[in-house]
Amino acid sequence: MIDLDHFKRVNDTYGHLGGEIVLKQLANILRTNIYPLDVPARYGGEEFILLMPNTSSRKAVTAAEKLCDITRKCNWKVSAVEKVVITASFGTVTFDPYAPIDAGELVKRADTALYAAKSQGRNRVVCWDEVDLDEKPVLHEQSEISELQKEISSLTEKVHNQDMAVVS
């Protein structure tokens, strides 16, 4: 799960049009820096998810660290003349087919890892395996989680069936 750090400031300073320009730039970063079978998807606001089939936890963290670095170094434009500095926080979790969990639990773990990245200072990657479970996570509203669960289930099924047509 990916969340742009302090994105509210972008919207407050440059308006929602400036925010949308930044979100489109992030979408482009994701599309151009992932493998063909990886599936990026926007999850409301400034959050995105990235499904990476057949990827180990170590490789997922490495990929997220690369994306975090690219995000930090990007020349973010909010208009033709104005540039801003944008960073992102990443929470990773790996689905283990030998210890399966449902989509809802997968989302909760990714969200908890993302929250840990934010609470550790933002602009970083935290893997679910590194999360202190005694720390209370801030989760999304149940309706948002349910919507994302449906999207993840659908995308996971497509990945599983290797039916990776254009995802819009």
Side-chain angles (χ1 to χ4, degrees):
M1 191 170 279
I2 306 157
D3 185 71
L4 291 176
D5 298 328
H6 305 294
F7 185 72
K8 184 177 182 323
R9 287 187 204 162
V10 173
N11 277 339
D12 290 348
T13 304
Y14 303 101
H16 290 283
L17 181 58
E20 284 298 315
I21 291 169
V22 168
L23 292 173
K24 287 178 183 178
Q25 290 173 82
L26 178 61
N28 187 54
I29 287 171
L30 294 176
R31 278 194 306 271
T32 58
N33 290 285
I34 61 174
Y35 289 107
L37 289 180
D38 294 347
V39 181
R42 184 172 175 191
Y43 173 56
E46 71 278 7
E47 288 188 346
F48 288 77
I49 57 168
L50 179 59
L51 297 177
M52 304 171 74
N54 301 316
T55 302
S56 69
S57 181
R58 183 178 45 79
K59 287 183 179 181
V61 168
T62 299
E65 287 172 343
K66 175 185 167 191
L67 290 168
C68 188
D69 189 51
I70 290 168
T71 302
R72 181 179 49 257
K73 292 177 179 176
C74 181
N75 289 318
W76 295 91
K77 296 179 181 178
V78 290
S79 70
V81 294
E82 294 182 272
K83 295 181 181 178
V84 294
V85 175
I86 302 283
T87 60
S89 298
F90 294 73
T92 68
V93 63
T94 304
F95 178 79
D96 181 356
Y98 300 105
I101 57 174
D102 65 24
E105 182 61 25
L106 196 64
V107 170
K108 285 180 184 178
R109 290 180 181 186
D111 197 46
T112 301
L114 175 63
Y115 173 76
K118 296 264 187 203
S119 67
Q120 292 175 24
R122 303 182 193 302
N123 188 33
R124 68 189 65 234
V125 176
V126 171
C127 179
W128 161 254
D129 300 335
E130 302 166 356
V131 172
D132 178 1
L133 296 179
D134 293 329
E135 190 174 307
K136 185 179 178 185
V138 175
L139 299 175
H140 294 286
E141 295 293 324
Q142 184 59 42
S143 61
E144 293 174 331
I145 292 174
S146 296
E147 183 178 320
L148 183 58
Q149 287 172 344
K150 290 176 190 174
E151 291 176 33
I152 289 175
S153 294
S154 174
L155 291 171
T156 303
E157 186 173 321
K158 287 179 183 180
V159 168
H160 179 72
N161 294 329
Q162 297 299 312
D163 183 20
M164 293 301 296
V166 176
V167 177
S168 54

